[in-house]
Every structure is written in C-alpha cells, then in structure tokens.
Amino acid sequence: TRADFRLGIIAIQDLADVDFVFTLTEIKAGIKGSFRSKEKDISVIAKELGGGGHKKAAAFFLEKMNLKDAEKKVLKTIDKFYP
C-alpha cells in the first residue's frame, strides 16, 4: 500500500548519519521512487525525473522501466545536482 512505501523511507531517513535517502519500488507499471532529505533540496531531482514534491520530501514514477535501469537513471540524476 502507499502507506507501506512511506513507512519504509521514513524509517531510513531517521538514521542519525543519513542526510539524503531514496527508495525505488518496482510495481506492475514501472518504478515508484521516493526521496527524503534533512538538508538538501531533493525536489529538483524529482522534478528532473518527471515527479515533484517539497524540498525535503519528493517522489517520481518511471513508466515501463526495470529496477536496474531505474537505479542507474536516478543515480545519474542525483550526480547532476549533487556531484
């Protein structure tokens, strides 16, 4: 469920030494991605991936993409904004 997706990333973001996290979840139609950050503006990354959100919480959806390709795309996009 949607609540399950949120609970997973919330638990990760609360780790003491973690400033920025993302999760990718494979569903039938593609990949659902979520970002959370304590300091960085991750909405710019989500927007670049076709999604949106807030400075510290954002999401996106990559249609018809497998998990491996989605991971490569997300990491490349993150590196564009935060090398």
Side-chain angles (χ1 to χ4, degrees):
T1 67
R2 296 181 99 178
D4 293 333
F5 293 134
R6 284 192 295 266
L7 288 175
I9 198 163
I10 289 169
I12 295 168
Q13 85 178 34
D14 287 341
L15 296 172
D17 294 333
V18 175
D19 176 47
F20 169 12
V21 297
F22 74 92
T23 60
L24 299 174
T25 304
E26 193 168 26
I27 58 176
K28 203 173 218 177
I31 304 295
K32 160 89 171 88
S34 297
F35 292 112
R36 296 293 183 276
S37 178
K38 293 176 185 170
E39 298 296 326
K40 292 180 176 25
D41 181 358
I42 43 80
S43 67
V44 295
I45 304 167
K47 186 175 181 181
E48 182 81 7
L49 293 166
H54 304 280
K55 181 179 178 181
K56 297 180 182 181
F60 60 94
F61 183 76
L62 301 172
E63 278 189 80
K64 300 177 183 175
M65 187 173 286
N66 65 50
L67 193 56
K68 187 175 182 177
D69 290 340
E71 179 184 24
K72 287 178 187 177
K73 182 176 182 121
V74 171
L75 290 172
K76 185 175 179 178
T77 306
I78 290 168
D79 194 47
K80 179 178 175 179
F81 291 93
Y82 297 107

